[in-house]
Every structure is written in structure tokens, then in C-alpha cells.
Amino acid sequence: MSNKFFKDFITTLGFMTRLAPPRMVKPEELAATLPWMPLTGAVMGALIVFPFALGLLSGSPDIQAWLTVAASIYLTRGLHFDGISDITDGAGPYPDPDRFWRILKDSRCGVFGVIALVLSITGQILLFSKIYAAGAFGTIIWIFIVGRMGNVAMSLAGRRFTRPGQGALFMAGADRTSFSLALAVTFAAGLLLTGLEVQLLTYSLCAMSIFFLYRLARKVRGTNGDFLGAALVLCELSAALSFCILNQ
């Protein structure tokens, strides 16, 4: 049994990051990765934060923040920012279902997608800078954990609207058990890495983000992997913003 758990974790790490070699897997193996998403965020976050916790660029939290976001984008191949960009482009000023899915199939990035990228990336840099200035290295790690928990939450919320594609392979494994495990890992990690008040505010903001994406999915009559990526970015921003709100 432990070998299966380790194999599922390595599959998750290889698919979601560059930290393990990617490999061909069966659909059911991708579905089994959901409970491991938060742990993947913990590993990635710890590797990114470790040199800064040792004192690298200790007098420049803004540069630490910029490098953290750059490392996150590199390690995840930019998958999640691509998701929030596509979703925002498709929704635009009014999310017509046909137009929405036609735009998502277009590889070009429109004005709304660019705006979403600028706001989310600069938002992370500004928020991470405040967190680094406070010396809250554990919170940075936890933010990456929360983002992956948001991925699982959106998989569960959007499963009934699943459209064919790679995202559907992940959402096939979404159930109350996988979500409960992901949430339990996130909460336990939060007790070690950040404050309880930060956790509670984070979960409230994450719930609002997931509900927003759920309503959009219902309106456009479908979900795909871009929704999962958008959920991850929004939940990371929710966690970072929660810390900054409570530590002004």
C-alpha cells in the first residue's frame, strides 16, 4: 500500500511540477493524484523558500518575492497562470457559452487574459514581499499548499460540468474523500506554518473564489483544466492577502 501512495505522489509531482520526471500514466492514475496536490505544494514551496530562510537577499524582500513567483512559474511550467488567463479571456465582459469555449481553444491571449496575468503576478509579488518582510517563511510555503487544495476543491465543485480533456482526468478522482484528505493536510500544515486566523480568513476567501468559478462553469455549461488552474491562482492570492490583511 505504501508503494502505491509513493507512486501516486511521484505521479502528482511529475505532472504538476518539474521536480519529478513526467511519465505516461493511465487515466485512473491521474485521478488518484488529487489527495496529493497539497503535499506537492509543500515540497515545491519548501524548495523555493529554503535559500531565503537561510538569509539569501534578506534585506530585499521585494527581490525575494519576485524570485519566488518566477521560480513558481518555472517549476509549474506556467500551467496555472495559463488557466486564469484563458478563463478571463473567455469570460470577458459577458460569458456567452459558445464564445467562451471558442476563445479557450484559441492559443492567442487577449486583453482580458493579459489583465488577469498582470494583476495576479504583480499581486503575488507585492503580497509575497510583505510576507517576506515579516519573516513569515512558513506562510509562503503554506500559500503553495492552499493553492493545490483549491485545485482539489474546484475539481469537486466542477465535476458535474466536466468537458472532455485532460482536466476531466483529474476531476474523475474528485469526491468527498479526496477533498477531505486535501483539506486535512492543508489545515494541519497551516497549524505549523501560519496562524489560525490567517487560515480561517483564507478558507473564506477561497470559498468565494471557488463559488465564483462554479457559477461561471454553470453559466458556460462546462469545466476543464483551465478552471483548475484559475482556482489554484485565486486560492494562492487569497492566502497571501489574508496574511497581509491580518498583519498590517
Side-chain angles (χ1 to χ4, degrees), residues 5-162:
F5 289 161
F6 180 74
K7 182 180 178 182
D8 288 343
F9 172 64
I10 294 300
T11 298
T12 311
L13 200 63
F15 192 89
M16 300 300 292
T17 74
R18 298 177 186 266
L19 298 176
R23 61 187 184 87
M24 297 296 294
V25 296
K26 299 176 182 178
E28 57 268 23
E29 291 182 273
L30 281 182
T33 63
L34 282 186
W36 294 102
M37 295 286 185
L39 186 56
T40 301
V43 172
M44 189 184 81
L47 287 174
I48 293 174
V49 170
F50 183 68
F52 303 130
L54 291 180
L56 179 65
L57 295 167
S58 58
S60 303
D62 50 344
I63 299 177
Q64 290 178 326
W66 178 72
L67 288 174
T68 295
V69 175
S72 170
I73 293 172
Y74 171 76
L75 290 175
T76 61
R77 307 178 186 91
L79 286 174
H80 315 304
F81 285 106
D82 177 70
I84 196 168
S85 173
D86 286 346
I87 290 294
T88 310
D89 248 350
Y94 184 81
D96 172 73
D98 293 335
R99 174 182 176 275
F100 180 88
W101 293 108
R102 187 168 61 253
I103 290 175
L104 256 65
K105 293 179 181 179
D106 192 333
S107 60
R108 293 171 295 181
C109 186
V111 62
F112 293 104
V114 172
I115 291 171
L117 285 175
V118 171
L119 288 176
S120 56
I121 291 175
T122 57
Q124 282 199 352
I125 292 173
L126 290 171
L127 294 169
F128 283 173
S129 177
K130 294 291 185 182
I131 299 170
Y132 274 123
F137 301 105
T139 296
I140 299 287
I141 298 173
W142 189 69
I143 287 168
F144 290 113
I145 297 173
V146 171
R148 277 74 194 163
M149 186 273 293
N151 195 315
V152 180
M154 188 63 221
S155 294
L156 180 60
R159 183 175 179 179
R160 59 178 292 199
F161 306 114
T162 304

